[in-house]
Amino acid sequence: MTVFWILTGLLAALAGLLVLAGARRGVESGPAATAGLARRELDELDRLKARGLLTPDAWVSARAEAGRRWLVAGPEATPPLTRPLDRLWVLSGLALGGSFALALYVLTGAPGLADQSYQRRVDQWAADPAGLQAPQLAAVAARVVRERPGDHEALVMLGAARFEAGDSIGAVSAFRRALALQPEDARSWARLGESLVQASDGVVGVDAEAAFREALKRDPGQPAARYFLGQAALSRGDSPAARALWGPLIAGLDPADPRRIDLEGRLPPVVGGAAR
C-alpha cells in the first residue's frame, strides 16, 4: 500500500506540472493581432496615395502584394496573454481535485485493507478449481509440483495447463520432467512434441519429430503423433510416408467428418499405384 501511495503522489505531481505548463502559455491572440497589423499597413498605403507619393497603379500593386503576403504568412505569433491569478486558480483546482479524490477513496474504499498476495490467490484457486482459466490452473499445478516434485501426474497436469495458457516453453519443461520420471509414457511424448510445435509457431522441427516418433514407438495409435509426423512428411514432399501415417487416422473417422475430408484433401491423389 505504501508503494501505491508513493506512485499515486508522483503521478499527481506530474499531472500538476503538465497542467501548470499549459496554463503558462495562456490565451494566444495571434489572429486578432495579425488582422490589426494588416489593416494598418493597408491604411498607410492609402495615406501615401492620398499624398501623391504613390501612383494609382503602384498603389493597386502594393495593396495586392500586401494582401498576398499576409495570406501566405498566416497569423503571426504573439506573446501569450496571462493573468496574474491564473497560476493560483490552477493550483487551487489541482488541490481541490486531489482532496476530493482522497475523500472519495476514504469513504468508499478500504484504506486499511492489506494487499492480497499472489499465494493467497493461488490458495483460493486451489480450494475451488472448477471454472478456472488455464493460467490459474497452471499456477495451482505449479504449487503442487513444488510440494511434490516427484509427482508424475502433477507434472503432466502442469504441462497441459501451460500448453493451454500459451506458455509453450513452460509446457516443454514440464513434460520433459514428467518423462524423466516415466519415460514409457507415450501420451507425454506426444504432448512434448505438440508443445515443441507450438513453440516453433506450427513448424514440426527435429526435436518435435523425435518426440512424436518416441510416442509412436510406445503407442502406434497416438493420433497427435501420427498427424504431425504426416504433416512433416508432406512438407518434405514424402507423400507415401504421409499417407501411411494418416491412413489409420482417416480410416477411423466417419466419411462425413470434416477432419477426414481435410486429411484426404491434403494428400496427393494416387495415380498408377503411386502418389504424385
Side-chain angles (χ1 to χ4, degrees):
M1 186 60 71
T2 302
V3 175
F4 168 77
W5 284 115
I6 292 174
L7 293 176
T8 301
L10 291 175
L11 289 174
L14 178 60
L17 288 175
L18 292 175
V19 174
L20 285 175
R24 284 178 61 85
R25 289 197 294 268
V27 180
E28 295 185 358
S29 59
T34 298
L37 290 173
R39 182 71 261 173
R40 287 195 295 272
E41 183 174 352
L42 294 176
D43 289 343
E44 182 63 25
L45 291 175
D46 291 341
R47 284 194 295 271
L48 290 175
K49 179 192 175 200
R51 291 167 59 187
L53 298 177
L54 283 177
T55 65
D57 291 341
W59 173 76
V60 171
S61 298
R63 283 179 64 90
E65 177 62 23
R68 185 193 66 77
R69 187 172 64 254
W70 285 109
L71 287 174
V72 171
E76 184 177 294
T78 57
L81 301 178
T82 57
R83 294 184 293 272
L85 294 180
D86 283 349
R87 181 171 295 184
L88 178 61
W89 281 110
V90 171
L91 288 174
S92 300
L94 289 173
L96 182 62
S99 300
F100 176 77
L102 181 60
L104 184 64
Y105 174 72
V106 171
L107 291 174
T108 62
L113 183 64
D115 292 341
Q116 186 179 25
S117 67
Y118 177 73
Q119 293 303 322
R120 289 187 60 186
R121 292 198 296 273
V122 176
D123 290 339
Q124 294 177 355
W125 298 337
D128 185 17
L132 293 181
Q133 300 296 320
Q136 298 168 333
L137 286 172
V140 174
R143 169 183 286 185
V144 176
V145 168
R146 284 195 300 270
E147 295 171 352
R148 303 195 300 270
D151 190 329
H152 174 264
E153 292 301 323
L155 284 166
V156 171
M157 183 176 69
L158 174 61
R162 285 177 172 175
F163 180 87
E164 294 299 326
D167 180 11
S168 52
I169 302 301
V172 168
S173 174
F175 285 122
R176 287 194 188 281
R177 291 173 63 187
L179 287 167
L181 295 174
Q182 292 188 20
E184 297 304 313
D185 182 7
R187 179 58 178 156
S188 291
W189 279 112
R191 294 305 304 270
L192 172 60
E194 291 181 72
S195 301
L196 290 167
V197 171
Q198 186 186 70
S200 301
D201 296 326
V203 177
V204 184
V206 176
D207 290 341
E209 276 200 66
F212 290 132
R213 294 193 185 281
E214 291 293 333
L216 286 186
K217 284 180 184 178
R218 292 158 176 81
D219 180 8
Q222 274 294 323
R226 284 190 168 274
Y227 172 78
F228 283 107
L229 286 175
Q231 180 176 303
L234 275 182
S235 67
R236 292 192 296 266
D238 190 352
S239 300
R243 187 174 296 278
L245 287 162
W246 284 0
L249 298 180
I250 294 174
L253 294 173
D254 187 88
D257 193 314
R259 295 172 296 176
R260 176 169 180 162
I261 297 172
D262 175 65
L263 292 176
E264 291 178 334
R266 293 167 63 183
L267 287 172
V270 178
V271 178
R276 288 189 299 180

